[in-house]
Amino acid sequence: MSTLIAATSLNWESELAELLHRLSTAQHELLALLSMKRNLIIQRDHQGLADLTVRESELAAELQACQQRRQELLSQADAEGLPSRSIEELSAALPRAAANALKNPVAEARQRAELIRHECLAQWVAVQRTVLHLSQMLEIIATGGRSQPTYGKGRLVERGGSLIDQAV
């Protein structure tokens, strides 16, 4: 099998390097966009957030294309009897020079993916907290600040005045 890998190493190395370069570019752009998005969330700039949706969609499409290409390469590797569970495993199976050339780009792509996941989770939590807060505010407005008790029959719990009309 080593002769098969050696005979096609230039092709595999260039294909993997091209994929990793494309992925790196998309990840860097996404990290920059997520940073802008975080600032817009903090500033509560709804129009600015809305303006990012087109670029977000473009980056999502590019990342999906990278995923598709990754899957194609791994399927091709499997068909040729090469390791095909991950790009990292496939690149490590190449001759030493090629494997060493791809080691850092693979590790950096993995690191950026982790940063992207972390940033997306942090933003999701922030937005969910905002939605929960708004939901609670709407409930207060809709019920006049009085809610039905969890236990008891028909009694209203008095919490104080209403936001709309204190006379109610």
Side-chain angles (χ1 to χ4, degrees), residues 1-155:
M1 176 162 39
S2 62
T3 57
L4 175 63
I5 295 173
T8 62
S9 66
L10 282 178
N11 185 31
W12 278 110
E13 181 181 1
S14 65
E15 291 290 333
L16 292 174
E18 181 182 324
L19 171 64
L20 290 168
H21 175 72
R22 187 175 175 190
L23 178 61
S24 173
T25 301
Q27 287 176 324
H28 281 294
E29 290 179 22
L30 182 58
L31 283 168
L33 183 127
L34 288 172
S35 177
M36 286 183 353
K37 190 173 182 178
R38 180 181 351 101
N39 290 333
L40 293 171
I41 289 171
I42 290 169
Q43 296 168 4
R44 296 182 181 106
D45 183 351
H46 304 289
Q47 184 58 48
L49 287 169
D51 293 343
L52 290 181
T53 57
V54 171
R55 185 65 187 135
E56 273 183 311
S57 296
E58 293 170 353
L59 285 172
E62 177 63 14
L63 288 169
Q64 287 174 341
C66 287
Q67 172 64 20
Q68 178 64 34
R69 181 65 182 141
R70 173 193 173 273
Q71 195 56 47
E72 290 168 3
L73 288 172
L74 291 176
S75 294
Q76 185 178 350
D78 187 43
E80 293 182 21
L82 299 173
S84 60
R85 290 187 334 169
S86 70
I87 294 295
E88 185 174 25
E89 185 180 87
L90 176 58
S91 64
L94 296 176
R96 181 170 287 165
N100 286 339
L102 294 171
K103 188 174 184 176
N104 282 341
V106 169
E108 290 168 358
R110 184 180 299 280
Q111 261 185 327
R112 281 188 302 275
E114 190 60 35
L115 284 172
I116 289 168
R117 274 193 290 281
H118 177 76
E119 185 65 30
C120 288
L121 177 63
Q123 289 182 18
W124 181 83
V125 168
V127 170
Q128 290 303 309
R129 286 184 168 199
T130 301
V131 168
L132 178 61
H133 175 74
L134 291 174
S135 171
Q136 291 169 342
M137 293 300 294
L138 287 173
E139 184 177 341
I140 290 170
I141 291 169
T143 63
R146 294 172 182 75
S147 61
Q148 293 293 327
T150 303
Y151 302 102
K153 296 191 179 196
R155 292 185 353 189

